[in-house]
Amino acid sequence: CALLSTGTIKCWGYNAYGQCNVPSSLNAVAQIAAGANHSAALRTSGAIVMWGRNLNGACDVPADVGAVKAIALGGSHSMALRTDGSVRCWGLNNFGQCDVPGSVGTLKAIAAGCYHSIGLRTNGTVSAWGSNMFGQTIVPPGLSNVVAIAAGSANTPSRSSSMAALLVGAGMPSGKRRFPPSCARSVR
C-alpha cells in the first residue's frame, strides 16, 4: 500500500482476503500498515480503519483502544501505540504476541512481526514479546540508544543512534535454518 499526499491510500498485490480493497470513503489518513492478510489506516483524527482477513479478530479494533498515534500489523495481530505511550494489541495470540508485558514501560514506536511484537521505549531501549522460535524476542544485553525498530517474519532489526544496525533472530547456521511461513503468504 502507499499513502498519497492527498491523505488517501492505494493498495495492490495479493488480494485474496480483500486486504487491497481500500474502503472508498477512507480519507484524511496519517499512517498505514500491512499485515499478512489485513491492512489498516490511522486517520488524522486518531481513528483506526481496518480491512482484509479478520482472522481471530485482527480487524476488530477494541473499543478501549483510546487515543492512538501509531499502528503496526503482524501476521494476524494488530497493535496500536496510544498517545500516552502504552500499547494495545489484539487478534491472533497463539505465541503471546498480544500479551503486552507489564514491564514494557512508555513506548515511542512499535513494530509487529509474524508472531512477535516489539516496542521502542522512550529511553532508547527495546522490549519484545511473542514467539521466540528464532531468538527474535531476546533483546541483546546492553542494547541502548536505539532510534528505530522493525520486525520481520522471524527477526527483529534495530538501529542505534551510532548508526550501527543489529539483527536479532533466525541466527541458525546456514543449512539448519527452518523459517516459519513468511508473513507475505496466506495464513491458513
Side-chain angles (χ1 to χ4, degrees):
C1 293
L3 175 59
L4 307 178
S5 61
T6 59
T8 59
I9 302 169
K10 298 289 183 194
C11 292
W12 62 94
Y14 183 72
N15 194 34
Y17 300 104
Q19 64 268 40
C20 293
N21 297 341
V22 180
S24 59
S25 62
L26 185 57
N27 58 20
V29 174
Q31 184 196 349
I32 57 174
N37 296 304
H38 65 305
S39 302
L42 177 62
R43 288 187 149 164
T44 55
S45 66
I48 301 171
V49 178
M50 302 189 75
W51 62 97
R53 188 174 189 194
N54 193 24
L55 184 65
N56 293 95
C59 292
D60 295 334
V61 180
D64 67 347
V65 74
V68 176
K69 64 180 178 179
I71 54 175
L73 302 183
S76 292
H77 74 288
S78 305
M79 302 175 69
L81 178 59
R82 296 173 171 141
T83 56
D84 67 1
S86 64
V87 66
R88 177 72 162 89
C89 299
W90 64 95
L92 183 66
N93 192 32
N94 56 335
F95 290 101
Q97 61 267 41
C98 291
D99 295 335
V100 181
S103 62
V104 74
T106 304
L107 303 178
K108 62 180 177 179
I110 55 174
C114 201
Y115 300 111
H116 70 290
S117 302
I118 60 174
L120 175 57
R121 295 183 181 106
T122 54
N123 68 2
T125 62
V126 175
S127 180
W129 60 96
S131 174
N132 194 40
M133 185 181 299
F134 297 100
Q136 63 268 39
T137 60
I138 299 174
V139 178
L143 181 65
S144 61
N145 300 315
V146 176
V147 295
I149 56 173
S153 178
N155 62 359
T156 302
S158 64
R159 186 175 70 85
S160 71
S161 58
S162 65
M163 299 298 286
L166 177 68
L167 184 63
V168 178
M172 294 179 172
S174 62
K176 294 188 178 186
R177 288 192 181 130
R178 294 175 300 147
F179 293 96
S182 168
C183 281
R185 294 185 184 265
S186 171
V187 177
R188 295 176 196 232

